[in-house]
Amino acid sequence: QELTLFQNLPPPQISRPPTSSTMPSFNHRQRIVDLLDKVQIQYKSLHHEATPTSEDSARVRGEDLSTGGKALVLKFREESEDGDNGFAIFVLSASRQLHTKAIKKEFKTKNVRFATADELAELTDGLKPGSVPPFGRPVISLDLYVDTSIEDNEKIAFNCGSLTDSIIMNVMDYLKVSTPTKIFSFSK
């Protein structure tokens, strides 16, 4: 009869350490807003419906597609002994396409590839594809490379750590505060 007493109990919960897919996402939006506020840069912050594509983002922001800053996490070099994992953030206008040959030529490398969803989450404290903001250090611990197409606009609009939050700001202010490692042409 004692067995029947335990039949209605739920199975024991096994505690597992958090993984990159179960850890809560770091608040990238707040970190960027704090950074912009600290240096007194003006920006417009929007909360909107989920925008999985650059075209969706441009539509809900009421901005031209070319204003969008598409931030891609790419592996473009081998890991090094000094701890460099070979990944970086590359930002280009949302109206342009990535030109991997230009990156290969610039860094004298043979391989360039997108980070997998798992790699992206691990490298960016839980971000998902499409939500990466166009900031490297101190927001995301990766080098930042910016395509010259970003300089063609007066402003930049970007997803800010989620598919439902965007920031629109002056391009010159963005370049000043984001401190890219290098600006060069890698779009077509």
Side-chain angles (χ1 to χ4, degrees):
Q1 213 173 16
E2 286 184 35
L3 291 175
T4 58
L5 294 175
F6 295 103
Q7 286 180 340
N8 293 331
L9 292 177
Q13 296 295 315
I14 299 170
S15 178
R16 292 187 175 91
T19 64
S20 62
S21 62
T22 61
M23 290 189 316
S25 181
F26 181 83
N27 192 338
H28 293 85
R29 181 196 168 282
Q30 190 59 54
R31 192 163 205 181
I32 293 168
V33 165
D34 289 347
L35 177 64
L36 298 177
D37 288 346
K38 181 180 176 183
V39 293
Q40 299 179 342
I41 288 179
Q42 291 186 332
Y43 60 90
K44 180 178 177 183
S45 181
L46 300 171
H47 185 72
H48 49 73
E49 67 187 67
T51 55
T53 68
S54 296
E55 291 79 7
D56 292 332
S57 295
R59 177 183 48 79
V60 300
R61 293 174 188 146
E63 297 290 336
D64 188 78
L65 183 61
S66 65
T67 302
K70 184 166 38 176
L72 307 171
V73 177
L74 305 176
K75 183 164 179 96
F76 68 105
R77 60 181 171 232
E78 295 302 313
E79 295 179 28
S80 65
E81 292 178 11
D82 67 359
D84 181 353
N85 59 20
F87 287 92
I89 298 174
F90 289 80
V91 180
L92 62 153
S93 168
S95 65
R96 309 280 303 215
Q97 293 180 339
L98 182 68
H99 187 49
T100 57
K101 286 183 181 179
I103 295 171
K104 290 175 184 178
K105 182 179 178 183
E106 179 70 29
F107 295 103
K108 298 172 182 52
T109 186
K110 294 182 181 185
N111 298 311
V112 175
R113 69 169 177 85
F114 291 98
T116 66
D118 287 341
E119 288 170 333
L120 180 67
E122 185 177 328
L123 292 164
T124 63
D125 295 313
L127 291 178
K128 293 177 172 36
S131 68
V132 178
F135 285 83
R137 292 175 185 87
V139 177
I140 297 173
S141 294
L142 293 171
D143 286 342
L144 175 68
Y145 297 97
V146 174
D147 183 67
T148 54
S149 64
I150 294 298
E151 297 175 306
D152 293 342
N153 295 299
E154 288 184 21
K155 54 188 168 179
I156 182 172
F158 54 89
N159 283 353
C160 194
S162 79
L163 298 177
T164 58
D165 290 293
S166 292
I167 286 183
I168 303 169
M169 62 185 294
N170 176 281
V171 163
M172 297 314 287
D173 287 341
Y174 161 72
L175 293 172
K176 182 173 72 175
V177 75
S178 67
T179 60
T181 304
K182 185 169 193 171
I183 299 172
F184 70 103
S185 180
F186 54 85
S187 71
K188 55 183 178 178

